[in-house]
Amino acid sequence: SHGDVGPVKAYNHLALQPVLGPLITWVIAPLVGPWLAPAGVRASFHPQTPPDDYAETSEQALLFRPDSFKSNCEDLSAVNRELLEQQHRYPELRLPVAVIAGVDDQVVSTGRHAERLAAAIPDSRLALAPGVGHMPHLARPRLVAEHVAALLEAS
């Protein structure tokens, strides 16, 4: 939600270079990505354990298609700049918003993002899930459903 998310992995920038980019997006990512992905999934779910079939049910293999991979690299290469530009507009939001985050998220800082986002939006509610990482929607689906229902009631 806010800029200065930290340095983006170098391959995101390298994948956009004229000569090296196609090598990364068409050869390296499709070959190496699926091999490295389980560690990323574990980090996203930590401290929970990912479902055994997560890679299949989430269609994770689609991430490593050349065009998809390159698009993701473009987004991540611009993330700091784009978030810095948009973060000042959050107070302009005039709709109910639920910000739901895992307290133990190791992918995105809950304090730097979720808490600041909820504080910046006038009509927002913040739900922090203790013992949950980056996947509160999968780890605590009832919590998410309750907040969605509350938003629907409020609107």
Side-chain angles (χ1 to χ4, degrees):
S1 66
H2 288 74
D4 192 25
V5 298
V8 175
K9 302 245 186 256
Y11 66 78
N12 290 291
H13 301 295
L14 294 174
L16 305 178
Q17 301 306 310
V19 175
L20 194 53
L23 176 65
I24 291 171
T25 58
W26 285 90
V27 179
I28 296 173
L31 292 174
V32 177
W35 182 68
L36 295 176
V41 169
R42 284 191 301 276
S44 292
F45 275 89
H46 181 82
Q48 284 76 44
T49 302
D52 291 335
D53 62 348
Y54 182 76
E56 293 79 27
T57 59
S58 67
E59 300 289 344
Q60 189 176 57
L62 297 176
L63 292 171
F64 305 110
R65 294 182 308 178
D67 290 339
S68 298
F69 188 81
K70 182 179 179 189
S71 293
N72 194 52
C73 290
E74 289 169 345
D75 289 346
L76 288 171
S77 291
V79 72
N80 281 309
R81 182 182 70 250
E82 296 295 330
L83 289 174
L84 280 169
E85 195 171 305
Q86 81 181 24
Q87 71 187 30
H88 305 290
R89 300 204 57 202
Y90 297 143
E92 298 172 23
L93 292 172
R94 299 289 178 247
L95 66 160
V97 173
V99 179
I100 304 169
V103 171
D104 298 315
D105 190 334
Q106 294 184 344
V107 177
V108 176
S109 166
T110 300
R112 183 183 294 165
H113 297 285
E115 292 175 10
R116 286 176 66 195
L117 179 63
I121 300 173
D123 189 18
S124 68
R125 61 179 60 227
L126 175 63
L128 297 179
V132 174
H134 193 64
M135 300 289 205
H137 56 292
L138 296 176
R140 300 287 188 278
R142 184 172 292 149
L143 173 71
V144 174
E146 289 168 359
H147 283 277
V148 169
L151 290 177
L152 292 172
E153 276 183 33
S155 56

